[in-house]
């Protein structure tokens, strides 16, 4: 007998049983990890150009599932839904009833639609269900560039409204004001802030998904978070074998987890394709909503947007544009050929700025750069739609695999 009152044989059997359970647990983890890896590889093949029938089927089923969940959540919040519907009804009545208030309503409607347009583009840029439509490059960036070029050509930012912002035309009165970078920033600040706010709103789904999974006690079935957990374990054993991308993901995770508000602010204030991981981390560790969203909003809509505005305005300032066009002409053999479309485009744009509203330019719509830009937009929008279909189909496959494991 030992001091604990057990025989050596009993202690030996207990130790062997514990070792056996640990070994079985390790084997089960390895099997589960291999199974998840097989599911992930199979899921990557669910795309329209490989399995169109399966992809479309899963896309429809995922859309139906999401719609059903939305209806169930709205039904569970009947009071809130009724309050929102009552407020919308009140706004509709105010909008359609004639009276002296219609002038104010028209002004508010114009501002609201303009802000909603940029917020929507911002959401599309960051949410994308796993992808994103690069609306800064397609819409906001060109808008800031057009205002910059017009400001230096017209020597003012007091463009007549209408047609601004749909069309930029120099005012009839000539101006000799000094155009500074801050003047142009002030002109496009509303659009930039709304676009940045939209990107911040688009970062909320990963946060809420991770937070709901943590509060419900369920395992977060997210490939990115599983990968981070694996990287943490790998760092403990093989810290020097990690790639640059793996180190970047781990750095974002550690920064957000340890620094909190200022870590989120830093990640949101710079171009960061890994920011989805910050949202997942914040949700998983139950960081308060306003801490996450406040830091994200300040970082994306104020700090990051001012950096991007300054970059675009600096790049498209008149003397910088002339320098770039002249450098294009110095390219051996193809320089003059490439330089001509850019010169024609700039000349056409400057001529268009001095046209009266409603008149048309002879070169309007015939420029090759405008044609190329239009086709690029069409291709990117088509890719965005296809990516959403593929992503939703893969999400439904993930649901099936999770349900199968839980049986």
């Amino acid at each position: 007998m030992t001091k604990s009152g057990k025989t050596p044989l009993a202690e030996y059997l207990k130790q062997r049983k514990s070792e056996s359970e640990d070994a079985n647990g390790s084997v089960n983890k390895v099997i589960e990890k291999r199974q998840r890896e097989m599911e992930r590889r199979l899921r990557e093949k669910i795309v329209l150009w490989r399995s169109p029938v399966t992809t479309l089927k899963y896309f429809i089923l995922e859309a139906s599932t999401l719609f059903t969940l939305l209806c169930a959540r709205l039904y569970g919040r009947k009071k809130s839904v009724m309050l929102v519907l009552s407020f919308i009804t009140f706004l509709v009545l105010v909008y359609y009833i004639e009276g002296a208030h219609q002038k104010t309503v028209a002004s508010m409607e114009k501002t609201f639609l303009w802000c909603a347009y940029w917020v929507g583009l911002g959401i599309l840029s960051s949410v994308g269900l796993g992808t994103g439509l690069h609306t800064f490059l397609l819409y906001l960036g060109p808008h800031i560039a057009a205002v910059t070029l017009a400001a230096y050509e017209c020597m003012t930012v007091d463009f007549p409204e209408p047609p601004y912002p749909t069309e930029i035309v120099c005012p009839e009165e000539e101006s000799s004001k000094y155009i500074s970078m801050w003047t142009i920033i002030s002109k496009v600040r509303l659009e930039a802030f709304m676009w940045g706010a939209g990107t911040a709103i688009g970062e909320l789904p990963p946060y809420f998904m991770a937070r709901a999974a943590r509060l419900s006690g369920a395992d977060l079935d997210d490939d990115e978070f599983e990968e981070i957990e694996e990287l943490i374990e790998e760092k403990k054993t093989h810290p020097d074998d990690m790639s640059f991308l793996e180190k970047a993901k781990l750095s974002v995770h550690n920064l957000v987890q340890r620094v909190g508000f200022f870590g989120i602010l830093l990640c949101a204030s710079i171009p960061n394709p890994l920011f989805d991981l910050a949202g997942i981390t914040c949700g998983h560790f139950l960081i308060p909503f306003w801490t996450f969203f406040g830091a994200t909003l300040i970082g994306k809509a104020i700090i990051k947007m001012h950096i991007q505005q300054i970059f675009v305005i600096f790049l498209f300032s008149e003397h910088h544009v002339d320098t770039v066009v002249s450098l294009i002409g110095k390219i051996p053999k193809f320089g003059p050929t490439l330089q001509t479309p850019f010169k024609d485009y700039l000349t056409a744009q400057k001529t268009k700025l001095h046209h009266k509203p409603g008149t048309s330019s002879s070169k309007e719509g015939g420029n090759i750069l405008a044609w190329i830009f239009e086709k690029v937009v069409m291709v990117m929008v088509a890719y965005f739609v296809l990516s959403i279909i593929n992503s939703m189909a893969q999400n439904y496959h993930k649901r099936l695999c999770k349900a199968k494991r839980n049986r």
Side-chain angles (χ1 to χ4, degrees), residues 32-42:
E32 184 178 356
K33 185 177 179 181
R34 290 180 179 177
Q35 183 181 357
R36 286 178 180 269
E37 184 63 28
M38 290 176 61
E39 291 172 355
R40 190 178 304 177
R41 291 180 181 176
L42 182 61

Side-chain angles (χ1 to χ4, degrees), residues 348 351 355 359-367:
T351 304
H355 276 222
T359 60
S360 60
S361 172
S362 59
K363 293 185 179 181
E364 185 175 358
N367 192 277

Side-chain angles (χ1 to χ4, degrees), residues 47-197:
V47 289
L48 281 171
W49 45 88
R50 286 188 178 183
S51 307
V53 177
T54 303
T55 304
L56 288 174
K57 176 185 174 183
Y58 283 1
F59 166 74
I60 294 172
L61 292 173
E62 176 69 7
S64 303
T65 303
L66 293 176
F67 181 75
T68 304
L69 291 173
L70 176 62
C71 292
R73 290 179 180 178
L74 291 177
Y75 183 77
R77 295 172 173 81
K78 293 187 284 291
K79 292 183 179 180
S80 300
V81 172
M82 291 302 298
L83 183 62
V84 171
L85 290 177
S86 301
F87 182 69
I88 292 175
T89 304
F90 171 75
L91 293 179
V92 170
L93 291 175
V94 171
Y95 182 79
Y96 282 104
I97 293 176
E98 297 294 335
H101 64 281
Q102 285 298 325
K103 186 176 181 180
T104 304
V105 169
S107 176
M108 292 177 63
E109 178 190 12
K110 179 182 177 182
T111 304
F112 173 78
L113 292 177
W114 181 240
C115 293
Y117 172 75
W118 289 110
V119 170
L121 288 176
I123 292 173
L124 289 177
S125 182
S126 61
V127 62
L129 297 174
T131 181
L133 183 64
H134 302 291
T135 52
F136 181 85
L137 296 177
L138 295 177
Y139 297 100
L140 183 57
H143 174 70
I144 297 174
V147 171
T148 302
L149 293 173
Y152 285 107
E153 177 66 19
C154 305
M155 294 306 295
T156 183
V157 291
D158 297 327
F159 311 123
E161 301 182 19
Y164 183 83
T166 305
E167 182 183 354
I168 303 177
V169 178
C170 291
E172 295 182 1
E173 300 82 7
E174 293 186 1
S175 175
S176 58
K177 294 180 179 178
Y178 174 73
I179 299 299
S180 66
M181 183 175 289
W182 185 254
T183 305
I184 303 173
I185 289 176
S186 300
K187 183 67 176 177
V188 296
R189 182 182 288 117
L190 178 63
E191 299 93 303
F193 177 82
M194 290 300 165
W195 186 88

Side-chain angles (χ1 to χ4, degrees), residues 37 110 115 128 149 201 218 233 263 273 317 343 355 371 401:
E37 184 63 28
K110 179 182 177 182
C115 293
L149 293 173
I201 294 172
E233 293 299 325
S317 297
K343 280 187 174 181
H355 276 222
W371 182 85
C401 295

Side-chain angles (χ1 to χ4, degrees), residues 264-315:
I264 302 167
L265 182 64
L266 178 62
C267 290
S269 300
I270 57 175
N272 186 1
L274 304 176
F275 192 78
D276 278 351
L277 184 59
I280 294 172
T281 303
C282 290
H284 182 77
F285 290 103
L286 302 181
I287 290 177
F289 169 77
W290 286 111
T291 300
F292 170 72
F293 185 67
T296 304
L297 184 64
I298 294 172
K300 286 183 172 290
I302 298 178
I303 300 176
K304 181 181 174 183
M305 278 317 306
H306 274 87
I307 294 173
Q308 290 177 306
Q309 285 180 79
I310 291 171
F311 175 77
V312 174
I313 293 170
F314 175 82
L315 187 64

